[in-house]
Every structure is written in C-alpha cells, then in structure tokens.
Amino acid sequence: MTQRPYVIDEMISAKAIAARIEALCVKIDAEFSDTDKLVVVGLLRGSFVFIADLVRELDLPVEVDFLEVSSYGNEMQSSREVRVLKDLRSGIERRDVLVVEDIVDTGHTLSHVTALLRSRKPARLRTIALLDKPSRREVDFRADWIGFEIPDEFVVGYGIDYAQRNRNLPYIGKVRFTGEAES
Ligand code: IMP
C-alpha cells in the first residue's frame, strides 16, 4: 500500500511565524524577568524548529532540555496514556520551566506532560504551543501562549511531519489529498 498522494498549501508563512515569535517572546521575557535561568523544555520531535527560533528571540538566560513522550496513534483512541520515552536530563524542582509544543490538538499530550512536570515541584511552569486546534479538544487544556489558532486541518512544516516527511519546510502548510492510495 503506497501513501495517498497529496499537495501542501501554504497556511502560515515563515515571515508570519517569525513576527509572531518576536511578539510572544516579549511576553515571555516579561513573565520570567526575575528568573535566574529558564529551563525551556521542547517536546520531541515536532517542536525542534520552534524551540530553536524561540530561544534565540528570548533575552533571558535559558537552559534547553527535551522530553519525548509516546504518541498514541490513530488506532489507539481508547488508550490516552502518555509514556515517557526520553526524560529530561535535569531536575526541575524549584526552577522556572517553559514547555514548548508544536500543536495542541486533543489536549491529552500537554495535559499529561504538565501534570507530570508539576509533580516535580517547579517554581513556575508555563506552556507555549505554536498551533492550537481548539475544535479538536477532548480535555480541558489551555496553553499559556499560542502562536496561531487554526481550524481542524492536518498541517506540516516548521518541524511538524506527516509520516516523518515535510519537517524541513520553512512554513506551515496544510495537507490536501489529491487521490487514493494504490494497493
Ligand atoms: P494532542 O495530545 O492530541 O493534543 O496531540 C498533540 C500532538 O499530535 C502534536 O504534538 C502532534 O505531534 C500531533 N498532531 C496533531 N495535529 C497534527 C497535525 O495537523 N499534523 C501533524 N501532527 C499533528
């Protein structure tokens, strides 16, 4: 079975993303202005491009760490358990933490991750997601900062993949299927 053919339509340009990150970083700088050092935690793998641009726009002292959790996949809708595949290198007790995610979709991933990290007693814990699909929410979760609210579309680019492709596009694009998979 081959993959369904598709094209990618640009949804959010690289320029618009850069401008939005600049504006968000002013707010994050203000929120953490008194921090010794902010631990910026990227959720692998989709946030790797976003976190790279975000930390370069922040004026704060930062440390960068990564967390990888299992995604449940389409066929496992019943089990929303999120397992840690790669944990943080550093402890976060009494520290300031910013969790960076690519997309909030159903909300399960970030609500599990924030519960887990809160149990480690950070001083402050905030979340930022580049994209938010509020119409897909299954649990009540709101990130502290959002780049862009988008409709229920499958998107790729700027770190976000479809079957491990398209992460290297500099913009966010919408996947539009143009045919059926060949068997
Ligand atoms: P949630 O737990 O449903 O909020 O899932 C968030 C994760 O689902 C994101 O980190 C992405 O990995 C994945 N995801 C959700 N929507 C998309 C999309 O449109 N394109 C690619 N991945 C997506």
Side-chain angles (χ1 to χ4, degrees), residues 101-171:
E101 171 67 311
D102 54 356
I103 307 178
V104 192
D105 187 33
T106 63
H108 287 282
T109 304
L110 268 184
S111 69
H112 274 90
V113 164
T114 50
L116 170 72
L117 297 184
R118 264 205 195 93
S119 72
R120 298 178 185 181
K121 310 266 186 289
R124 278 177 287 193
L125 179 75
R126 299 286 182 270
T127 50
I128 183 167
L130 180 66
L131 304 175
D132 187 14
K133 296 186 196 173
S135 64
R136 296 257 312 156
R137 206 68 96 252
E138 291 176 9
V139 289
D140 184 21
F141 180 86
R142 278 176 68 96
D144 295 292
W145 297 286
I146 287 293
F148 302 90
E149 219 176 82
I150 60 167
D152 181 11
E153 301 280 2
F154 197 83
V155 294
V156 292
Y158 198 73
I160 301 165
D161 75 305
Y162 171 45
Q164 298 307 325
R165 286 173 182 261
N166 310 119
R167 290 193 197 270
N168 54 330
L169 287 176
Y171 55 86

